[in-house]
Amino acid sequence: MDELTRILWEYACKYRLEGCYDLAMKEEREENEEAIDQCRKLLEKLCSAQALERTEELCYYLEVLRSVDQEAAFLCGLRLGLSLR
């Protein structure tokens, strides 16, 4: 991603992304945040320290993949929009 695209991505994430969620998406996001918290608390009770650490690493790597995919989708949309002007 070039510097201009990176700046646009950061701006969109910070100032515009929230307005792109419709009501159903906001509700789904809130439900999933609550589910994540519940799962994390349960894992802390049930897992050994090593298993909990591996689970946290797994979640981190999944989040990195999700972020990379989001950036690629943003870049694709930006390029498509620029090509149509």
Side-chain angles (χ1 to χ4, degrees):
M1 195 178 282
D2 63 22
E3 187 62 21
L4 176 59
T5 306
R6 169 70 53 201
I7 290 168
L8 289 171
W9 166 252
E10 289 173 1
Y11 174 83
C13 287
K14 189 171 183 178
Y15 298 108
R16 298 293 182 180
L17 189 60
E18 185 68 28
C20 292
Y21 294 112
D22 63 14
L23 182 59
M25 291 169 77
K26 285 181 182 180
E27 289 174 355
E28 184 176 7
R29 192 171 195 293
E30 289 172 5
E31 289 171 4
N32 280 281
E33 283 181 332
E34 290 176 20
I36 288 168
D37 287 338
Q38 291 173 358
C39 286
R40 181 174 284 125
K41 289 175 185 175
L42 186 57
L43 284 170
E44 287 173 354
K45 290 179 185 177
L46 298 175
C47 292
S48 67
Q50 186 179 15
L52 185 58
E53 185 178 336
R54 294 296 163 262
T55 303
E56 288 172 350
E57 286 178 8
L58 174 64
C59 291
Y60 170 78
Y61 294 133
L62 289 169
E63 178 64 20
V64 169
L65 286 176
R66 188 186 67 80
S67 295
V68 169
D69 288 346
Q70 279 186 324
E71 287 183 30
F74 175 80
L75 186 57
C76 179
L78 180 63
R79 286 181 180 164
L80 179 61
L82 290 172
S83 71
L84 294 174
R85 58 179 179 123

